[in-house]
Amino acid sequence: MRVLAEQRKRTAAMWSFGYNVALTLLKIVAAVMTGSVSLLSESVHSATDVVASGIALVSVRAAAAPPDHDHPYGHGKMESMAGFGESILLLAIVGYIVFEAIQRLVVHHPVQNLGIGLWVMAASAVSSLIIGHYVSKVGQETQSVALRSNGQHLMVDFWTSVGVLSALVLTRLTHLVWIDSAFALALAAWIAFGAWKMLKIAFDELVDKSLPEDELEAVHTILCAEPGVLSYHRLRARHSGSFHFVDVHVVVPNDWSVVQAHSLADRIEKRINEELLPAQTVVHIDPYDPAKAMDGCKDP
């Protein structure tokens, strides 16, 4: 199952990269021919998507590498680093878009060959919706931060393409040059919002933030459902790449044999791994100590 998931991730990353290269070249040509600042901004935005999808393609391959001597926990954080880098890239491009839009508002620049721009943005909107939905779906199903970030890029591309298309239509109908620049500023705000959200997700994974409460509650339920578990402590759970990592100390009766304790640990590890699939769980067995006794099954 894991091999199939990695293949799906690589395929989605390759489709995203190839699509972004082709679309960016088309938008750059259209931007030069029309002189539209919103289309120029969208071209630069798509150029960042090329870099982003390239990062996703490389990081997905790197993250799929098995654990080794120097990286016993695997290489999953390569995806988190990629998502972090893509978000920074988007925030940087926001500054460029704002600069260009304000400059065009001050110095009125006419938009030409609007027909070309309209056709290019219509094609961009439809194709970005299809590819973006595909990449985002694979990213969600395989829990890939890099692909989720890249899918977000493509869905943003869909909405910005629709927006630029609308701005060009209004410019053509009204002959008001400022509409083009005004939308470019709105586009910058939209990109900044999405980039900030993805930046936070990637940062949380890089600093090993604990799993969400619902997943921790699922672990708690599994632990307390085992009759031999008197209590547990030192529960630590984090997410890296596509994997969950969980380790916990479980307290059992002090008259248990090693075989009983080992069997319980194996059973708990299997159940947690199945619940948080894909996951790697390590259970440490502690004998009951009256001096440290706790009431019921709980993590202090």
Side-chain angles (χ1 to χ4, degrees):
M1 183 177 293
R2 182 182 179 185
V3 174
L4 179 60
E6 297 302 335
Q7 289 177 343
R8 291 184 64 202
K9 287 160 64 175
R10 287 195 294 269
T11 299
M14 291 177 65
W15 267 100
S16 176
F17 182 72
Y19 168 75
N20 279 317
V21 169
L23 187 63
T24 297
L25 292 175
L26 184 62
K27 287 181 179 179
I28 289 175
V29 172
V32 171
M33 295 182 67
T34 61
S36 165
V37 66
S38 60
L39 187 46
L40 175 63
S41 301
E42 180 64 10
S43 301
V44 177
H45 173 220
S46 291
T48 67
D49 283 348
V50 173
V51 178
S53 56
I55 293 174
L57 179 60
V58 173
S59 67
V60 163
R61 289 179 178 272
D68 54 37
H69 180 269
D70 294 325
H71 307 89
Y73 288 98
H75 303 76
K77 286 195 176 182
M78 289 292 293
E79 292 191 44
S80 302
M81 291 175 63
F84 188 84
E86 289 177 37
S87 301
I88 294 294
L89 189 62
L90 273 177
L91 290 174
I93 211 62
V94 165
Y96 173 78
I97 293 174
V98 170
F99 173 79
E100 284 292 330
I102 293 177
Q103 186 179 52
R104 297 297 179 92
L105 282 173
V106 176
V107 181
H108 297 290
H109 190 283
V111 182
Q112 304 170 340
N113 301 313
L114 279 174
I116 295 175
L118 292 173
W119 279 107
V120 169
M121 296 318 300
S124 172
V126 174
S127 56
S128 293
L129 178 63
I130 295 173
I131 301 296
H133 177 73
Y134 164 65
V135 173
S136 295
K137 182 179 179 181
V138 174
Q140 290 290 343
E141 293 177 351
T142 61
Q143 299 187 39
S144 168
V145 174
L147 285 181
R148 292 208 310 267
S149 177
N150 199 232
Q152 184 183 41
H153 278 259
L154 290 166
M155 294 307 295
V156 167
D157 202 48
F158 161 70
W159 287 109
T160 55
S161 294
V162 171
V164 171
L165 179 62
S166 301
L168 293 178
V169 169
L170 288 174
T171 300
R172 186 171 190 173
L173 293 176
T174 64
H175 303 289
L176 297 175
V177 179
W178 64 264
I179 293 177
D180 188 53
S181 297
F183 179 77
L185 291 173
L187 170 62
W190 172 268
I191 296 173
F193 177 71
W196 176 255
K197 290 199 301 182
M198 184 52 63
L199 183 69
K200 186 178 184 303
I201 292 174
F203 180 78
D204 285 344
E205 290 195 6
L206 286 173
V207 298
D208 289 333
K209 182 180 179 180
S210 183
L211 294 181
E213 285 299 323
D214 59 329
E215 295 183 337
L216 291 177
E217 183 61 30
V219 173
H220 171 81
T221 301
I222 290 173
L223 291 169
C224 294
E226 290 291 339
V229 176
L230 300 179
S231 64
Y232 70 91
H233 54 278
R234 293 186 63 184
L235 171 61
R236 297 183 297 178
R238 63 186 177 89
H239 187 265
S240 178
S242 300
F243 256 74
H244 296 82
F245 290 92
V246 180
D247 63 86
V248 61
H249 287 233
V250 170
V251 178
V252 300
N254 55 18
D255 60 349
W256 271 27
S257 68
V258 174
V259 174
Q260 283 179 290
H262 183 73
S263 177
L264 174 67
D266 282 348
R267 190 162 60 251
I268 292 174
E269 289 173 356
K270 182 179 179 181
R271 290 190 61 192
I272 293 177
N273 289 345
E274 290 175 348
E275 177 69 26
L276 301 180
L277 187 72
Q280 179 179 314
T281 304
V282 176
V283 174
H284 179 82
I285 299 295
D286 287 342
Y288 176 74
D289 183 352
K292 301 179 181 178
M294 293 176 290
D295 296 327
C297 178
K298 64 179 180 179
D299 186 4

